[in-house]
Amino acid sequence: MSDYFKQRDDKNLEKIDRLLAEMPEFVGQFIVGISSQTSVLTRLNYVTDIGIFFSYLIKYKYPGKTMAELSANDIECLAPHDIERYIDGLSSYVLGGKRLSCGEKAKERKLSSLRSLYKYLYKKEIISSNVTLKVDMPKLHDKPIVRLEPDEVGRLIDTVACGDMLTEREKSYNSVTKERDMAIMYVFLGTGIRVSELVGLNRNDIDFENSSFVVTRKGGNRSILYMPVETLDALRTYVDWLDEQIANNTEFAAKIKDPDALFYSLQGTRIGVRTVEKLVKKYASPAAPLKKITPHKLRSTYATNLYRETEDIYVVADVLGHSDVNTTKKHYAQMSEEHKKHAAEVTRIADRDGN
């Protein structure tokens, strides 16, 4: 694991420890119990979700108690409607003075976190019943896949290259970051990696001779992916530009704090997820004004194009780094329907005269 991902995990472990310090001991036992089967980020999400649930219990079920004072018996004796009320209340709730809301998918994740906690406690005989099994998972409604069409991809690339549709302020930044931003767009569109994987790329992960690179997937697994020539060229141009900046721009060179990183912010730090999300929005908004394009939608654009070319969902799942092909099937079922319709359109049956 690279230093970047190790540092990220270390920071998340510190967050987990801070949250657990305010929670009952049985939550810490649960986190330790699942540590060998889950990533650090997954455990952080579990602890965060459980904390939101406990905050609800303290407000509506056990007023006067602190989070640490909640017992296993307190959560065991809850009725199904208590859990259902909690899930329903996630549509709009206050946490830390902020008004927040959860959609269908976020509600499903929070109930999944509770189920995991209850399952562990029941297995270890800390509780004698599991009320979460009596609560139905929120129904998820299928959403259309949002992706860029070829003409929109062209406008996106043109916007990065020329900056014609940007504001004057955005153009000033584009004049400085054009080579970096172009490389980032081509990496997303040419390889389909996640934004978390992109920001973790190091210079030595790129093999220009073999048009390949090593990516650190969710959970820390490392995979070799291959790039189309356009992505390779954009990365070469960016790296040459970066080397020139480091060699000739003393001020920029002095800012660099992580010499291993591939992509940098203007402050010289490894570029972050939020910065990448903002730059994708900046360039995609004028190119596809009716679509809300994020790095994940660029990933969907790549995956859709790959599926159209290969018609092999297993290839798409492997390249995207999906551990379960059913995840891929769920997202690209719509494309399967397109292929079925196309098959009907191109199939011809002879009439009675043999025509």
Side-chain angles (χ1 to χ4, degrees), residues 89-226:
L90 291 172
S91 296
S92 179
Y93 66 103
V94 177
L95 184 67
K98 293 183 179 180
R99 174 67 61 178
L100 304 172
S101 63
C102 291
E104 295 172 346
K105 194 169 183 179
K107 288 181 179 181
E108 181 194 44
R109 195 194 81 178
K110 284 177 170 52
L111 181 53
S112 293
S113 297
L114 285 188
R115 282 189 168 184
S116 295
L117 173 65
Y118 273 82
K119 180 181 178 180
Y120 174 84
L121 297 178
Y122 180 75
K123 179 181 177 181
K124 298 299 182 180
E125 299 183 347
I126 298 173
I127 59 176
S128 58
S129 62
N130 184 350
V131 68
T132 62
L133 296 179
K134 298 179 181 180
V135 179
D136 293 331
M137 295 296 287
K139 180 177 177 57
L140 298 182
H141 295 86
D142 291 334
K143 295 181 180 180
I145 301 171
V146 177
R147 55 185 179 263
L148 293 176
E149 297 302 327
D151 61 321
E152 293 170 329
V153 171
R155 287 200 296 271
L156 172 65
I157 296 301
D158 286 344
T159 302
V160 181
C162 305
D164 291 342
M165 294 187 283
L166 302 176
T167 66
E168 292 303 315
R169 178 179 173 80
E170 290 170 342
K171 286 179 181 179
S172 66
Y173 283 108
N174 172 257
S175 65
V176 178
T177 64
K178 181 187 304 181
E179 286 80 6
R180 182 202 68 184
D181 298 350
M182 186 70 79
I184 287 174
M185 295 301 171
Y186 270 110
V187 169
F188 278 136
L189 293 167
T191 69
I193 63 174
R194 300 175 177 90
V195 62
S196 60
E197 296 165 346
L198 179 135
V199 300
L201 287 175
N202 288 335
R203 290 276 298 260
N204 61 11
D205 289 331
I206 311 299
D207 183 350
F208 287 104
E209 292 298 319
N210 293 303
S211 302
S212 64
F213 65 103
V214 178
V215 61
T216 302
R217 296 294 199 185
K218 291 167 92 173
N221 295 325
R222 307 257 293 168
S223 298
I224 296 176
L225 296 180
Y226 294 87

Side-chain angles (χ1 to χ4, degrees), residues 254-325:
K255 288 181 179 179
I256 291 181
K257 299 175 179 61
D258 185 351
D260 294 328
L262 177 61
F263 295 113
Y264 293 97
S265 69
L266 290 175
Q267 289 71 43
T269 58
R270 180 186 291 269
I271 200 167
V273 169
R274 185 64 184 137
T275 300
V276 175
E277 289 172 341
K278 286 181 177 179
L279 74 88
V280 168
K281 179 181 179 181
K282 175 177 71 175
Y283 293 119
S285 294
L290 300 182
K291 297 178 179 179
K292 185 180 179 181
I293 300 300
T294 63
H296 192 73
K297 300 303 185 294
L298 298 184
R299 177 172 161 86
S300 295
T301 300
Y302 167 81
T304 300
N305 292 337
L306 180 61
Y307 185 55
R308 279 175 173 157
E309 291 295 323
T310 65
E311 298 187 23
D312 190 332
I313 202 70
Y314 292 95
V315 170
V316 178
D318 186 43
V319 174
L320 291 181
H322 287 163
S323 57
D324 185 354
V325 73

Side-chain angles (χ1 to χ4, degrees), residues 51-91:
I52 293 171
F53 175 60
F54 284 175
S55 295
Y56 166 83
L57 292 182
I58 290 169
K59 183 175 182 180
Y60 294 104
K61 196 73 177 177
Y62 303 113
K65 281 195 172 186
T66 66
M67 205 175 286
E69 291 171 340
L70 291 173
S71 67
N73 183 66
D74 287 333
I75 70 168
E76 180 182 3
C77 68
L78 295 176
H81 70 82
D82 291 317
I83 308 293
E84 291 165 348
R85 268 196 354 177
Y86 160 66
I87 297 298
D88 182 64
L90 291 172
S91 296

